[in-house]
Amino acid sequence: MGSSESARHEAGRPILQKFDRRLNELIQTIYPDERKRPGYARLAKEISEVTGGAISGTYLWELATGKKRNVTLEQLDILAQFFGVPPEYFLNDEVSQRVKSQLALATALRDARIRNLALRSEGLSPTSLDALLTMVNEARRVQNLPEVRDRDTENGGADG
């Protein structure tokens, strides 16, 4: 199969195209500092120690770089268990988006200042919370940061 045939063949296989990207996003979420991120051999050893499942550094590298695309259900389960995501994260766009939102929140909450803002806002009136959100959105605009869509407020609040 030539390279153009191979590219056409893969074009109809979106799950395979997204698997390596999703795996890398999980690795980057768990290890945000690239300088402290373990190599694939060390990460595979850590995965095996945590899950009890066997995965090699080479296989993990091949999956993360898209060189290998025939992940087994056992390996999928091991990766999902280690990263704390449902196996469907790797296969389903809707599940992947939901998990990404949760991971973004968890990542943001690593910052003590963000946690402090959230904790200190408890008990404030809805009007005060709306005023704080307006200030945060304005600060994001001033710093040329992307607008953040809030699903809860778009759907009529967390309760509705």
Side-chain angles (χ1 to χ4, degrees), residues 13-90:
R13 303 171 81 181
I15 290 174
L16 297 179
Q17 294 172 346
K18 295 174 184 175
F19 187 90
D20 54 340
R21 187 180 76 232
R22 290 177 179 163
L23 177 58
N24 282 303
E25 287 171 351
L26 289 173
I27 293 170
Q28 292 164 10
T29 298
I30 301 290
Y31 305 99
D33 186 346
E34 200 172 333
R35 296 166 297 172
K36 294 180 182 177
R37 193 172 298 151
Y40 292 106
R42 197 171 107 221
L43 182 56
K45 184 175 187 246
E46 194 175 320
I47 291 171
S48 295
E49 288 170 357
V50 168
T51 65
I55 190 163
S56 75
T58 302
Y59 184 72
L60 188 59
W61 173 79
E62 289 173 333
L63 289 175
T65 58
K67 302 227 182 294
K68 185 164 293 244
R69 304 236 176 180
N70 59 339
V71 64
T72 67
L73 290 176
E74 181 181 1
Q75 298 298 319
L76 185 68
D77 193 47
I78 289 168
L79 291 170
Q81 182 184 350
F82 177 77
F83 289 107
V85 298
E88 297 82 8
Y89 165 82
F90 294 101

Side-chain angles (χ1 to χ4, degrees), residues 101-121:
S101 295
Q102 294 166 351
L103 290 173
L105 175 60
T107 300
L109 289 174
R110 285 182 189 160
D111 186 322
R113 292 168 297 195
I114 292 174
R115 278 194 316 273
N116 283 333
L117 277 170
L119 291 170
R120 290 176 185 187
S121 66

